[in-house]
């Protein structure tokens, strides 16, 4: 049940935080922090237990040693729904990311005054729901968390956002809800067509023999939801707006968590449930991804709003993730996994930095900004670090991931490899544009006078340490991702033979 | 006792029930409604006795006693209510007590 | 009397003891003591019934039976009785209240165990008469009116029930509930079945025998209404399940039950639609809920018994919590009185909100699973017409529950009295809310409990 | 842990990295003196460590591969390592020596900058040094690429060091983007090699290339060549280098002439065994190399700015290295790398000191009067220039260039053509080198006098400080006498002693001297010098090519010189070919054209909105809504009706019950 605690602790933390201020003022943030830290401890406990005992293979055949922890209990047996949570290294990494970013965002919004209790609750719930997505292997429960995840994000944009926040929040909701319908339809179809009654158990469904034609359509349903969340052009229109209007913590969670859930879904389920369909659709995924990575990078080159620029770089990077997954070879999938983690660090940090600038001068227009170098050296130095991460400088995790994806692409098709390399070149164009407009020169209108505070610097240093650590010593990360990658690659390869 | 007789008795019982029911529906005075209830309950009583006699089973009479007791209890409560209503609200017409509606 | 019989009858015995002792204490002793002594009865009965839930069933000679349904019924009735005892008002001037409530519980217990015309009748009448007595406790005009209506209509219902039994008895010569089987095609039995259905439908408040319900709910003390809405229905539902198990003359029974069930769902929900009074709304919605249970049983689904019992059990905490809040507010709370309740009195407001959520059958509350059972059973029986009506009814229900729900959260500036709750009330509210939420997330304990009762 | 040579090898880049970290970390407040000490430690210790290691290697005990740690990626094992072999030792020692010299020099040169900027400068210089040494000593392709890319990053930051100058920022970005293109080639090549060899270790990977099929070998070799050309600013990737001169002079001396720019040549030396398997690519490298050399020399001849002149000269000299690599003589290229590093950094440092604080900046006219103003620096400049020109026998440059020419001549028929081109280039080299030197002899114009009253002017003492003079003198000595090292270096790297025919040696020796003559002609032949003055005026003011026939008799010469001055207008070509389409495309994508901003994301939305409007427009009155509302109103009316059923009269209730009973009885009656 400790696995459940990883979801429930943040969830109830959020619930308590919502009402905590009624009893004792300004306790909401403490409640949120404590619940997330407890969730992290639970996760550490589960991971340690799984690693030390060699994992729990109970209930899943032929996958001994892959799962670090497994929990299975009935929820509504007559409906075929059960609580089936499983954690392997891949989920574990993303869970660490999710709880870590949760803690970080709570710290960042420590001094928030507007509806702080609700904000804390929304932060906790974002973490809780995405933890649910990362853990659930009962497809109905997965879909449930998937849909639920939008609610706190919606609140964050709609309440604490900037500019046209309501419209943006609704745009976000519409895109993802419509896309979610594909997932729901496919899940219901899968659940109701079993021979032995209704079941949504992904492991049972994975063992089923579904015709390739049906698989293709089901996968299309799944992929629609995932690709909109990822997002891949042409489904990305919600993201730049959402990022631009969202508050800083919202952007961080959006980039660090929500996009990752889409990548997680693509990584996990297509190869597991629909290997035949995957074989049919993967080439299109590659085309879409390679288009997206160039397109996102090109559009980013012309942005004037710093957050929008970073949002488009997210589009480009997540398209690389899509390519890596659709490549379906070990290198590319491993690379995709690492890009996911790396992007969570670097994009979060960039949003944090831009948010800090916005807090100081009230603009994110890069034409008006400038001069961080002179006035705020800490700003400039950290900015430089994540600038290099964005353009995939070796030594950062971003490079490692992209290099692995490119390696995999060389195994799949030279053309895709070349396109990824071109996107690496364009990344320099947009990265330098952002960097030198903000950091170099002198600002005409918006002079940043105050350097980063320690409360801002702390999280940034953590993110920077993560970027460099996983870039230079990625062995642990790779070991964690390896079983999931192997399982996916084996599933795909079994079809190709 | 023949079946014909039983049917006759049952028809009579049903008639008593129907008459009682009609009385409840037709009369507005509380007291008369209570009386009609008594008549209505006497129908099943008769039916039990007749059926008991037909099958030579004492259970029918047992049921009759039970019904009788109930009727008594019901009327006792009813009369108490009637007194209370008459005393506090000066009501004897059941149609006039209709504060609880819609 | 064997020890087994003694064990089977133990709930009735402890209830009886509690009634006698508290009745004796009532004139002199402290009101709290009376209430406490009275409460021991249902508490013990509930404990005994729950503990014996898994035991093999056995018939107690002649009149009663001791099986899983009976035990679950007794447990639910006793639990409801206990809960209603807690917020039974007014307590101070009328010391007879607690013993009467236990008496009503005893009636429910007898009914749940009934196996014979005499016990069915006796159980029904004990409930009706003790409810009557409790209804007039406030001695207001409204309560007198409600009691009078219950009296007259109850007598009509009782007479119909008795006539039904008598007709069947005339044909078969057997008064036990098993008598209905075997000679199903006899005209007298079939006529009797119709009359029996009418009598039971009265107690189950199905249209068109339901009209006393909203009036009683608004006239009687809330605890009495809650008891009438939950405990007596559970007991009657057990009888209905027993009767359904004895094949009743078909298609009279199913068709009739389905017809009045559908009528209840539609009329109950429509009448509740814009009802401004909380308790009357609950009264009408109780009619609709009875209708849901009736259509479950009428559909003849294999899952029927389980679904019906689960539905009633799932609906109980919501109704009890809602009435407890109504009791705390006092009078007949109207929509306006509830405005912003959740800000004035967070616990009561949250409990009421949760209760409404559960009654509406929305997810994350136990009511959702009740509705889920309802629909599953109807789908299983392929009763599409019933399903359609149930769906329409649920949709209508969503509307009026949500109206009240939203009102709870509205802010307003008019000063309104803060509802008064005793500690026991608060505990009851918390327990009910906890049950709604916890069973809504994980219904397995309740499902298992209900399944234990199935043969 | 004992101080084993392996550990020392790992420490070589570590000290520079540590210096970067200490200088770069914000919280420490350091004083100027402390900054200097840390920077010099970071710059000097690698040299002190490299020297014994090189000696060890020269004694025949090269360390080979020193693993750092090992990663496992699926079935592949990725072993990160440094390694020390003769090539690495030679280049590493050179780099660390030049690095140390430049850092020492910077202490005086950068004296006027603010403390924060100074810290940034030294931090980045140390980071660069660490990166370059890492790359040179890399034992596997990942570490190699890490160093390679970090150099590029440092180059960007250092070119844009003056962050308030738009010119330097643009130049930095240009350099970064262009080298990044080349880096993509390199990355592709390295990854392909990795996939083939299933290892990243260079000592496994390079031999494994022997088993590649021919096409693959050619492709990888071509990619490597592309990577090298980009980093080494070879035609057609060269345009970033002249712009990069916007950075401070020490940066130009260290990064953009002596070491980083030549890293491309080093790359090809490293992968020489692979290159030799792809003869087509080799020929291409040689041809492009000689073309670049010629191009650089021609352009350098007509530069008006001493740093740009030196930049074109770097392009040209690295072209020589490429030529040498192309004809299969990587050892000669390595030797030239070393010599070039010495004299080119010397030239930059000397020129920087001479022009420091002049009104005209680094314009050639600032060199005037150098002999009187800065005799030490001027002497050093002359030494460097002579070495660059390759004055026979007496300069270091001559020996390494001669080694290359000999190798080229031995390259068969095509070698003869290449040799001729190389000799002509050597002639031009002699010309532009001596042109710069001669200008130093000219008297200063009044307007160029450093104005002591101006606070922005930095007045260095005539003789300079020890920090300036020491590196200059050491490097100048090196530029003259290091020629004796050419043969040992080539031996060290495993090559035979070059044997050139006497004729070719004479021709090659004559070429620089002829070049000097050409320079004299440019200065003293009135027609030419007049033309040059015209060029100067136009390039400084109009920036516009005069029309054909305009500007007198020598207009043809003026146009040619201007064209060369502008680097054959490659920049303009690239503007038209790449930059403008890119910018236009990006602007179009962002809604400046007819399309909406972010068209691919917006079009689906617009299409959906359009579709929705098409569908909803006929439904605008919203019949369904009316239906619903009517339905809703109906339900409410139904409620109003239904509630009247509940009359409150008990008789009516009873009536309803009676009706119900009757209905049920009728149901019985009606059913069989």
């Amino acid at each position: 049940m400790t696995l459940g605690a990883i979801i429930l602790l943040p969830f109830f933390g959020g619930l308590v935080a919502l009402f905590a201020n009624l009893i004792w003022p300004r306790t909401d943030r403490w409640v949120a922090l404590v619940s997330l830290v407890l969730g992290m401890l639970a996760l550490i406990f589960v991971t340690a237990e799984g690693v030390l005992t060699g994992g729990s293979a109970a209930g899943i055949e032929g996958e001994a040693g892959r799962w670090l922890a497994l929990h299975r209990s009935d929820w509504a047996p007559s409906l075929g729904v059960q609580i089936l949570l499983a954690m392997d290294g891949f989920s574990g990494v993303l869970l660490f990311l999710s709880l870590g970013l949760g803690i970080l965002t709570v710290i960042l919004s420590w001094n928030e005054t507007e509806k702080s209790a609700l904000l804390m609750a929304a932060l906790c719930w974002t973490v809780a729901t995405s933890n649910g997505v990362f853990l659930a292997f009962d497809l109905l429960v997965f879909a449930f968390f998937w849909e639920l995840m939008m609610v706190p994000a919606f609140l964050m944009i709609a309440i604490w956002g900037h500019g046209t926040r309501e419209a943006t929040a609704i745009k976000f909701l519409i895109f993802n809800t419509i896309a979610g319908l594909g997932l729901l339809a496919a899940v219901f179809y899968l659940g109701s067509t079993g021979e032995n009654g209704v079941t949504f158990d992904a492991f049972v469904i994975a063992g089923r023999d579904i015709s390739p034609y049906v698989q293709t359509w089901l996968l299309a349903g799944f992929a629609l939801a995932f690709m909109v969340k990822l997002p891949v052009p042409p489904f990305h229109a919600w993201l730049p707006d959402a990022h631009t209007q969202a508050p800083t913590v919202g952007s961080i969670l959006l980039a660090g968590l929500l996009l990752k859930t889409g990548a997680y879904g693509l990584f996990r389920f297509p190869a597991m449930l629909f290997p035949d369909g995957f074989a049919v659709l993967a080439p299109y995924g590659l085309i879409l991804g390679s288009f997206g990575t160039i397109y996102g990078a090109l559009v980013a080159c012309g942005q004037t709003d710093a957050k929008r620029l970073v949002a488009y770089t997210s589009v480009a990077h997540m398209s690389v993730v899509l390519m890596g997954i659709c490549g379906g070879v070990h290198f590319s999938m491993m690379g995709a996994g690492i890009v996911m983690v790396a992007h969570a660090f670097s994009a979060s940090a960039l949003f944090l930095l831009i948010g800090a600038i916005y807090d100081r001068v009230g603009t994110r227009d890069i034409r008006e900004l400038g001069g961080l170098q002179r006035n705020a050296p800490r700003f400039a130095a950290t900015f430089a670090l994540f600038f290099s991460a964005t353009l995939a400088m070796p030594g950062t995790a971003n490079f490692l991931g992209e290099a692995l994806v490119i390696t995999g692409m060389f195994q799949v098709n030279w053309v895709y490899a070349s396109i990824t390399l071109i996107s690496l070149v364009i990344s320099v164009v947009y990265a330098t544009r952002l960097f030198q407009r903000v950091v170099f020169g002198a600002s005409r209108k918006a002079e940043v006078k105050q350097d980063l505070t320690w409360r801002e610097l702390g999280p940034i240093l953590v993110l920077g340490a993560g970027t460099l650590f996983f870039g230079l010593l990625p062995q642990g990360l790779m070991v964690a991702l390896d079983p999931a990658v192997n399982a996916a690659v084996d599933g795909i390869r079994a079809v190709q033979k | 006792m023949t079946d014909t007789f039983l049917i006759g008795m049952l028809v009579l019982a049903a008639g008593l029930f129907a008459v009682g029911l009609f009385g409840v529906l037709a009369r507005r005075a509380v007291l008369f409604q209570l009386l009609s209830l008594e008549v209505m309950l006497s129908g099943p009583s008769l039916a039990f006795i007749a059926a008991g006699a037909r099958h030579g089973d004492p259970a029918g009479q047992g049921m009759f006693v039970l019904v009788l007791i109930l009727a008594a209890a019901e009327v006792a409560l009813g009369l108490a209510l009637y007194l209370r209503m008459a005393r506090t609200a000066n009501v004897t017409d059941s149609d006039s007590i209709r504060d609880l509606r819609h | 009397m064997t020890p087994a019989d003694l064990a089977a009858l133990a709930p009735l015995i402890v209830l009886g003891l509690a009634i006698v002792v508290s009745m004796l204490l009532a004139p002199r002793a402290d009101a709290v003591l009376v209430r406490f002594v009275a409460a021991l009865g249902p508490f013990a009965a509930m404990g005994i019934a729950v503990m014996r839930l898994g035991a093999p069933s056995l018939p107690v000679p002649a009149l009663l039976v001791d099986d899983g349904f009976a035990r679950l019924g007794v447990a639910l009735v006793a639990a409801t009785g206990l809960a209603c005892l807690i917020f039974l008002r007014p307590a101070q001037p009328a010391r007879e209240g607690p013993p009467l409530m236990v008496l009503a519980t005893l009636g429910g217990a007898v009914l749940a165990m009934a196996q014979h015309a005499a016990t069915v009748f006796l159980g029904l009448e004990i409930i009706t008469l003790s409810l009557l007595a409790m209804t007039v406790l406030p001695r207001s005009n409204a309560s007198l009116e409600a009691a009078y209506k219950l009296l007259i209509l109850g007598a009509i219902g009782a007479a119909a029930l008795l006539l039904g039994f008598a007709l069947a008895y005339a044909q078969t010569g057997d008064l036990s509930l098993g008598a209905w089987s075997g000679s199903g095609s006899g005209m007298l039995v079939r006529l009797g079945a119709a009359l029996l259905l009418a009598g039971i439908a009265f107690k189950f408040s199905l249209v068109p025998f339901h009209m006393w319900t909203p009036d009683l709910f608004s006239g009687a003390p809330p605890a009495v209404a809650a008891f009438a809405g939950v405990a007596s229905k559970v007991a009657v539902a057990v009888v209905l399940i027993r009767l359904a198990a004895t094949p009743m003359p078909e298609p009279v029974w199913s068709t009739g039950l389905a017809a009045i069930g559908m009528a209840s769902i539609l009329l109950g929900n429509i009448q509740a639609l814009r009802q401004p009074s909380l308790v009357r709304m609950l009264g009408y919605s109780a009619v609709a809920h009875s209708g849901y249970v009736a259509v479950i049983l009428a559909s003849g689904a294999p899952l029927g018994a389980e679904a019906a019992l689960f539905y009633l059990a799932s609906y109980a905490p919501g109704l009890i919590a809602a009435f407890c809040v109504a009791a705390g507010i006092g009078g007949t709370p109207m929509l306006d009185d509830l405005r912003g309740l959740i800000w004035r009195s967070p616990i009561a407001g949250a409990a009421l909100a949760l209760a409404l959520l559960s009654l509406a059958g929305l997810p994350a509350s136990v009511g959702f699973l009740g509705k889920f059972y309802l629909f599953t059973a109807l789908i299983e029986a392929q009763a599409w017409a019933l399903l359609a009506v149930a769906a329409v009814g649920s949709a209508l229900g969503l509307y009026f529950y949500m109206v009240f729900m939203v009102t709870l959260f509205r802010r307003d500036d008019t000063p309104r009295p803060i509802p008064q709750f005793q500690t026991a009330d608060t505990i009851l509210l918390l327990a009910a809310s906890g049950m709604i939420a916890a069973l809504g997330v994980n219904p397995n304990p309740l499902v298992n409990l209900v399944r234990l009762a199935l043969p | 842990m004992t101080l084993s040579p392996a550990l020392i090898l790992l420490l070589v880049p570590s000290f520079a990295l540590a210096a970067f970290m200490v200088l770069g970390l914000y919280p420490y407040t350091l004083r100027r003196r402390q900054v200097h000490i840390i920077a010099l430690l970071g710059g000097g210790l690698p040299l002190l460590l490299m020297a014994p290691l090189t000696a060890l290697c020269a004694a025949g005990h090269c360390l080979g591969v020193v693993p750092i740690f090992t990663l496992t990626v699926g079935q592949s094992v990725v072993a990160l390592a440094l390694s020390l072999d003769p090539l690495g030792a030679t280049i590493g020692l050179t780099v660390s020596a030049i690095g140390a010299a430049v850092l020492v020099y910077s202490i005086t040169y950068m004296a006027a900058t603010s403390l924060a900027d100074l810290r940034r400068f030294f931090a980045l210089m140390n980071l660069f040094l660490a990166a370059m040494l890492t790359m040179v000593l890399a034992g596997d392709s990942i570490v190699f690429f890490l160093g390679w890319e970090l150099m590029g990053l440092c180059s960007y930051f250092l070119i844009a060091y003056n962050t308030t100058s738009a010119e330097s920022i643009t130049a930095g970005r240009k350099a970064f983007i262009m080298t990044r293109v080349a880096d993509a080639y390199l990355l592709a090549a390295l990854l392909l090699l990795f996939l083939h060899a299933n290892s990243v270790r260079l000592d496994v990977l390079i031999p494994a290339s022997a088993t590649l099929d021919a096409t693959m070998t050619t492709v990888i070799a071509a990619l490597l060549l592309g990577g090298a050309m980009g980093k080494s600013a070879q035609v057609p990737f060269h345009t970033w280098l002249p712009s990069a001169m916007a950075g401070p002079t020490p940066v130009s001396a260290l990064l953009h002439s002596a070491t980083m720019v030549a890293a491309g040549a080093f790359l090809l030396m490293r992968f020489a065994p692979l290159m030799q398997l792809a003869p087509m690519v080799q020929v291409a490298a040689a041809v492009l190399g000689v073309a670049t050399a010629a191009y650089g020399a021609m352009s350098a001849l007509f530069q008006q700015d001493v740093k740009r002149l030196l930049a074109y000269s770097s392009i040209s000299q690295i072209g020589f290295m490429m030529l040498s690599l192309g004809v299969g003589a990587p050892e000669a290229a390595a030797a030239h790398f070393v010599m070039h590093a010495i004299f080119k950094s010397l030239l930059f440092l000397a020129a920087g000191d001479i022009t420091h604080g002049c009104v005209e900046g680094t314009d050639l006219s600032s060199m005037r009067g150098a002999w009187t103003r800065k005799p030490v620096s001027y002497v050093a400049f002359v030494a460097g220039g002579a070495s660059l020109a390759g004055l026979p026998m007496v300069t270091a440059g001559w020996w390494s260039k001669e080694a290359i020419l000999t190798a080229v001549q031995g390259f068969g028929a095509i070698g003869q053509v290449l040799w001729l081109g190389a000799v002509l280039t050597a002639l031009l080299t002699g010309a532009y080198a001596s042109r710069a030197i001669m200008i130093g002899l000219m008297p200063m114009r009044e307007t160029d006098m450093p104005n002591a009253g101006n606070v922005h002017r930095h007045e260095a003492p005539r003789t300079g400080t020890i920090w300036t003079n020491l590196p200059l003198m050491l490097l100048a000595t090196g530029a003259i006498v290091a020629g004796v090292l050419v043969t040992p270096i080539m031996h060290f790297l495993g090559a035979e002693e070059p044997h050139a025919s006497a004729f070719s040696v004479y021709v090659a020796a004559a070429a620089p001297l002829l070049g000097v003559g050409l320079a004299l002609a440019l200065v003293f032949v009135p027609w030419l010098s007049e033309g040059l003055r015209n060029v100067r005026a136009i390039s400084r003011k109009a920036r516009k090519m005069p029309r054909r026939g305009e500007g007198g008799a020598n207009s043809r010469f003026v146009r040619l010189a201007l064209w060369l001055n502008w680097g054959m207008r490659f920049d303009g070509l690239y503007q038209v070919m790449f930059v403008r389409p890119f910018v236009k495309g990006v602007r179009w994508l962002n809604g400046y054209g007819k399309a909406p901003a972010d068209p691919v994301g917006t079009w689906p939305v617009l299409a959906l909105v359009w579709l929705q409007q098409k569908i909803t427009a006929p439904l605008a009155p919203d019949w369904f809504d009316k239906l619903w509302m009517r339905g809703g109103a109906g339900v409410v009316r139904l409620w109003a009706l239904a509630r009247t059923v509940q009359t409150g009269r008990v008789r009516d209730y009873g009536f309803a019950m009676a009706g119900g009973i009757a209905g049920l009885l009728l149901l019985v009656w009606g059913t069989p």
Side-chain angles (χ1 to χ4, degrees), chain A residues 142-447:
Chain A
F142 175 80
F144 170 75
F145 280 122
W146 181 267
E147 300 291 328
L148 209 59
M149 199 166 52
M150 280 180 276
V151 177
F154 173 83
L155 289 180
M156 275 194 279
I157 300 172
I159 298 179
W160 297 274
H162 318 290
T164 55
R165 54 190 174 202
E166 283 90 0
T168 305
I170 288 167
K171 192 174 180 182
F172 164 76
L173 207 59
I174 287 176
F175 262 83
N176 285 291
T177 317
I178 291 177
L181 292 181
L183 175 71
L184 275 183
V187 165
F188 279 125
Y189 179 87
L190 279 175
S192 56
T193 50
E195 287 115 31
N196 308 322
V198 177
T199 180
F200 294 97
D201 184 331
F203 298 111
V204 173
I205 292 172
R208 264 190 217 153
D209 201 17
I210 311 174
S211 81
Y213 179 76
V214 177
Q215 279 195 12
T216 310
W217 282 105
L218 291 175
L219 176 56
F222 268 66
L224 180 69
F226 296 151
M227 292 205 296
V228 169
K229 194 57 104 354
L230 198 55
V232 181
F235 308 118
H236 67 283
W238 62 273
L239 182 78
D241 286 338
H243 268 320
T244 315
Q245 318 297 3
T248 304
V249 285
S251 293
I252 290 173
L253 289 186
L254 215 54
L257 273 193
L258 264 65
L259 306 194
K260 302 302 168 289
T261 58
Y264 168 83
L266 275 176
F267 200 106
R268 179 77 87 196
F269 292 113
M272 177 178 176
L273 301 178
F274 320 111
D276 291 304
F278 186 83
V280 176
L281 291 183
Y284 300 103
L286 279 171
I287 292 172
L288 213 56
S290 51
F291 171 72
T293 180
I294 297 289
Y295 181 80
L298 283 178
V299 178
C301 289
Q303 294 305 316
T304 52
D305 184 311
K307 260 185 150 181
R308 239 183 141 73
L309 197 157
V310 179
Y312 278 108
T313 70
S314 291
V315 172
H317 288 136
M318 296 319 279
S319 298
V320 170
V321 172
L322 176 67
M323 288 177 79
I325 292 168
C326 288
V329 292
H330 192 280
F331 283 121
S332 72
M333 293 200 90
M334 177 65 85
I338 294 175
V339 171
M340 279 164 69
V341 177
H343 176 261
F345 284 115
S346 64
S348 302
L350 280 175
F351 281 124
L352 205 166
L353 286 166
I354 294 166
I357 293 173
Y358 184 78
D359 290 343
R360 284 163 175 72
V361 296
T363 180
R364 290 187 307 262
D365 192 327
I366 57 172
R367 291 167 301 190
E368 295 176 0
L369 293 171
L372 280 188
Q373 172 77 68
R374 289 191 313 175
N375 303 325
R378 276 185 268 179
F379 242 126
T382 46
F383 214 111
L385 173 60
F386 293 106
F387 151 77
S388 6
T390 298
L391 53 80
M393 186 54 54
T396 61
N398 305 56
F399 168 75
L400 184 71
E402 300 216 6
L404 283 173
V405 171
I406 297 169
T407 314
M409 286 301 116
F410 270 122
Q411 287 178 321
V412 176
N413 192 328
W414 282 43
V415 177
Y416 298 129
S418 326
I419 288 172
T420 326
L421 284 165
I422 291 172
S423 85
L424 272 188
V425 174
I426 304 179
S427 74
V428 178
V429 180
Y430 61 68
T432 47
R433 177 180 159 91
L434 174 66
F435 181 73
Q436 61 199 29
R437 292 272 192 154
V438 175
V439 175
F440 288 168
S443 170
R444 283 159 290 281
K445 289 182 184 160
E447 191 87 2

Side-chain angles (χ1 to χ4, degrees), chain A residues 9-26:
Chain A
L9 278 171
F11 177 77
F12 285 112
L15 206 62
V16 174
L18 194 57
F19 294 107
N21 284 355
L22 298 177
I23 298 161
W24 198 261
R26 283 181 64 85

Side-chain angles (χ1 to χ4, degrees), chain C residues 145 148-149 152-153 157 160 190-191 194-195 197-198 202 208-209 211 214-215 252 256 270-271 273-275 280 284 396, chain D residues 635-636 638-639 642-643 645-650 652-654 656-661 664-665 667-669 671-672:
Chain C
E145 181 180 343
Y148 181 67
K149 285 172 178 168
I152 299 291
L153 301 178
R190 282 161 61 201
L191 285 173
L195 288 166
L197 185 55
F202 164 77
F209 311 96
M211 291 177 142
D215 293 0
V252 177
I270 289 174
Q271 285 186 318
L273 207 57
R274 297 184 73 171
Q275 181 54 245
R280 273 188 94 74
Y284 288 119
L396 286 171
Chain D
V635 171
V636 171
L638 202 62
W639 167 74
R643 73 191 304 228
V645 170
Q646 195 83 7
T647 56
R649 273 203 301 265
V650 76
D652 297 347
Y653 293 6
M657 282 185 77
I661 292 169
L664 285 173
L665 288 174
L667 181 71
V668 173
W669 203 259
T671 50

